[in-house]
Amino acid sequence: MLCTATLGCTAAPSSLPPPPPAGRVQAHTGLAAEVTGVPAAALGATYRPGCPVGPDRLRLIRMNHWGFDGKVHRGELVVHERAVQPLLKVFAEAFEAKFPIRRMRPAAAYGGDDERSMADDNTSAFNCRQVTGDAGRLSRHAYGDAVDVNPVENPYVDRGGTPHPAAGRRHLRRDPPAPGMIRPGDVVSRAFEDVGWHWGGDWSNPDYQHFSATGG
């Protein structure tokens, strides 16, 4: 059952480009990307009625990515329909540079538990949840226009100074860089900057894994 206006669904910020049609995407051939709709049942615990974006505005991107084993793997991201084009561009550049991604699975595979997803070093996007470490704020992931990349190599440091996930503590020291780490001016941070997305690594409490269309 798809979300309607009665469930409080809202559009993404108008600054995002219009969504592409569902189906196989011909551009960015290395990604071999496919874009489809997302049934509400497939979202599991990541969605409930009243969330700011409903299933009818979400898309599933299936695409290739390089792994830490030097092999190509198939990954999946659930995102807002208007985030599809910028994210295809970003991940195409990451793929061309052979930037390694540990795994890429929808947050529904972890029951919507962000801590579990991060601990598994999972790259993910949509999840209707609060900000990790700050239950008073709704995360941009609830809108489908934010992505977390390699959380272990790129931890989030909350207001109390605790890294999330805990295994990311060893990567709080950002130099020398480790494989999968995001740093200022590298291929990933530049690619997101080129599409107008913002990096949480620039925050006073850095969120090195986090990129969003709005800066939140």
Side-chain angles (χ1 to χ4, degrees), residues 6 13 18 21 27-28 35 43 47 55 70 83 85 101 107-108 114 119 150 158 165 172 177 184-185 193 199 204 210:
T6 60
H28 316 308
V35 181
L43 296 172
Y47 172 76
Q85 286 185 337
I101 294 173
D114 187 49
N150 290 345
D158 68 23
L172 292 178
E193 183 179 2
W199 184 33
S204 56
H210 183 83

Side-chain angles (χ1 to χ4, degrees), residues 132-158:
T132 299
D134 186 355
R137 291 190 296 142
L138 191 64
S139 170
R140 284 311 305 182
H141 291 277
Y143 296 83
D145 60 1
V147 178
D148 289 340
V149 180
N150 290 345
V152 171
E153 289 74 23
N154 302 290
Y156 163 53
V157 183
D158 68 23

Side-chain angles (χ1 to χ4, degrees), residues 29-44:
T29 54
L31 291 182
E34 295 176 297
V35 181
T36 65
V38 188
L43 296 172

Side-chain angles (χ1 to χ4, degrees), residues 37-140:
V38 188
L43 296 172
T46 66
Y47 172 76
R48 60 190 177 279
C51 287
V53 174
D56 58 331
R57 306 302 302 276
L58 297 172
R59 298 293 180 265
L60 173 65
I61 306 176
R62 294 185 176 94
M63 58 184 159
N64 292 338
H65 66 85
W66 288 97
F68 281 71
D69 58 0
K71 299 178 181 179
V72 174
H73 299 267
R74 197 73 171 157
E76 297 183 344
L77 280 182
V78 175
V79 305
H80 193 285
E81 60 184 351
R82 291 183 180 270
V84 170
Q85 286 185 337
L87 290 178
L88 286 177
K89 183 178 186 300
V90 167
F91 284 102
E93 293 187 29
F95 184 86
E96 184 176 353
K98 295 189 176 182
F99 177 84
I101 294 173
R102 183 80 63 187
R103 55 184 54 83
M104 185 187 291
R105 306 174 68 192
Y110 301 87
D113 188 328
D114 187 49
E115 291 286 355
R116 283 182 56 206
S117 179
M118 287 191 293
D120 203 29
D121 208 9
N122 181 55
T123 294
S124 66
F126 174 77
N127 189 0
C128 188
R129 62 171 177 82
Q130 307 304 114
V131 172
T132 299
D134 186 355
R137 291 190 296 142
L138 191 64
S139 170
R140 284 311 305 182

